[in-house]
Amino acid sequence: MSSIPIIDLLAQTGEVSARIGAACNEWGVFYVKNHGIDTGAILSKLHKFFNSEAAAKQKAKPKDGYFGYFQIGGEVTIDKKDWKEGMYYRAEYPNHDKNLDSVLNAANHWPDTRDFPDFKPAVQEYMAATKKLAFQLAQCMADHIGLKRTFFTDKISDEPFQQIGMFRYPKSDSTSIASPWGVGPHSDNGFMTVLLQDSVGGFQVMAKSGQWIDVPPIDGTLVVNLCDVAEIWTSGYCHSVMHRVAKPVSNDRYSVAVFIDPCLERVIVPDEAKGSTNCEVSERLKELASLPFQYIDYLEKLYKKSITPNTATQ
């Protein structure tokens, strides 16, 4: 079996677009290198936060909504508690979403600046950089499929529902949580996820053959995986990849995932690529892809199944 592609973003534009487009179809996941994003700062902030006293971490726990700190076991995947602690934050657009009445529009609960003075700016800077990268990749995807270059970025909008998830997976203690996984098998809901992993590893994806494949950390790279909306928009050409995370054995694992989703008000219309790909969505997405749906309605239902406000989140 061929290996997951590593795409050099400094290569010629046509080559980059061709390799990204092929990877989206064949794998639904790929590495990018020479992406120009500083990853050391955000990992340093995570190490400091997660290795702090419990009382300091609890200050970032949300009183309502989902955006802030959560403890181990606060998120459920395939009916099993995940073996990780972490925190979620969403991009803030004060003029755009101030009137949007949804739990997905709840306030971010940041760590206390007296304990972590540079945490919020570092997170927001990293989110801005990964959004720029994701839009660059989305335009390459559109180029390869033969669509208008801004096809996907127009659909996502300049103000997407962007979240960042920052996680610590403690080294394994099989007696604490029933699930054998740090996170069980699932696909991501939105358009694209950009993953930063430390040197510990454990991220795995399911190839189209059904075989689980390791996606080991490679210095200087980020991992990009395609999500459900990307598959629905392209009628299956872009493959929304199933993935999971193994429990670490010897050392804690730290990772950062940035989720680039359409804006919450977007109506997702299946096959908006107008049949240009001659593909079909996977069986598990056929019901969802049968009719247009508003993204906020779909996402709220999923969150209620997997995350409990006021206790813990993903």
Side-chain angles (χ1 to χ4, degrees):
M1 176 178 288
S2 59
S3 58
I4 294 170
I6 303 172
I7 299 172
D8 186 349
L9 297 183
L10 292 183
Q12 300 239 345
T13 302
E15 178 186 345
V16 171
S17 294
R19 294 202 65 204
I20 288 174
C24 289
N25 176 251
E26 295 167 15
W27 286 95
V29 62
F30 52 92
Y31 296 91
V32 291
K33 67 178 184 179
N34 290 318
H35 47 71
I37 297 176
D38 175 14
T39 58
I42 193 75
L43 284 175
S44 175
K45 302 299 181 189
L46 292 199
H47 278 264
K48 179 180 178 181
F49 179 85
F50 287 124
N51 288 286
S52 298
E53 295 293 332
K57 293 189 285 188
Q58 288 293 326
K59 292 179 186 178
K61 193 172 180 179
K63 298 178 177 62
D64 54 17
Y66 303 114
F67 303 112
Y69 171 71
F70 63 90
Q71 298 166 294
I72 294 173
E75 187 176 37
V76 174
T77 307
I78 56 169
D79 300 321
K80 300 288 186 181
K81 291 182 177 180
D82 294 344
W83 181 246
K84 68 175 187 286
E85 66 173 333
M87 52 210 318
Y88 277 118
Y89 295 103
R90 67 173 183 89
E92 299 170 335
Y93 310 115
N95 295 322
H96 170 74
D97 55 18
K98 62 183 178 181
N99 296 317
L100 184 61
D101 183 18
S102 169
V103 69
L104 298 174
N105 197 39
N108 287 322
H109 294 265
W110 296 97
D112 193 317
T113 55
R114 291 169 295 183
D115 300 320
F116 309 98
D118 302 323
F119 188 91
K120 180 178 178 179
V123 169
Q124 291 178 322
E125 182 177 343
Y126 187 78
M127 291 181 74
T130 48
K131 175 187 171 184
K132 182 178 179 181
L133 171 65
F135 275 41
Q136 176 188 353
L137 301 177
Q139 290 173 351
C140 290
M141 290 163 55
D143 277 345
H144 179 75
I145 295 172
L147 301 168
K148 177 184 173 184
R149 183 168 175 80
T150 60
F151 177 86
F152 294 117
T153 52
D154 288 345
K155 301 297 178 189
I156 296 166
S157 88
D158 288 336
E159 297 183 340
F161 182 60
Q162 180 188 7
Q163 300 174 84
I164 186 169
M166 299 166 283
F167 312 116
R168 181 182 76 93
Y169 298 80
K171 58 185 179 181
S172 182
D173 176 358
S174 60
T175 64
S176 298
I177 295 284
S179 174
W181 303 104
V183 178
H186 66 286
S187 63
D188 292 339
N189 312 309
F191 178 75
M192 178 184 290
T193 303
V194 180
L195 173 67
L196 167 62
Q197 40 181 355
D198 67 3
S199 61
V200 174
F203 186 62
Q204 299 176 337
V205 299
M206 181 184 284
K208 286 188 173 181
S209 65
Q211 180 181 355
W212 284 101
I213 305 294
D214 288 328
V215 187
I218 299 176
D219 284 347
T221 69
L222 295 167
V223 177
V224 178
N225 67 265
L226 275 293
C227 311
D228 293 350
V229 169
E231 180 165 332
I232 290 169
W233 272 339
T234 61
S235 294
Y237 182 85
C238 292
H239 173 56
S240 176
V241 66
M242 295 290 291
H243 51 281
R244 66 190 184 188
V245 178
K247 283 184 178 179
V249 176
S250 301
N251 297 291
D252 293 354
R253 176 184 186 264
Y254 296 83
S255 66
V256 182
V258 177
F259 306 94
I260 305 293
D261 292 14
C263 64
L264 291 172
E265 302 95 325
R266 175 69 64 204
V267 174
I268 307 301
V269 179
D271 190 26
E272 281 215 272
K274 304 300 181 188
S276 63
T277 61
N278 296 317
C279 297
E280 291 186 0
V281 297
S282 56
E283 194 64 36
R284 65 183 177 81
L285 290 176
K286 281 189 175 178
E287 182 178 355
L288 180 63
S290 62
L291 293 169
F293 59 93
Q294 191 169 35
Y295 191 61
I296 188 172
D297 295 336
Y298 166 61
L299 205 58
E300 282 183 335
K301 291 176 184 177
L302 293 175
Y303 268 58
K304 289 173 183 177
K305 290 180 180 179
S306 64
I307 305 172
T308 305
N310 279 325
T311 56
T313 59
Q314 182 171 312

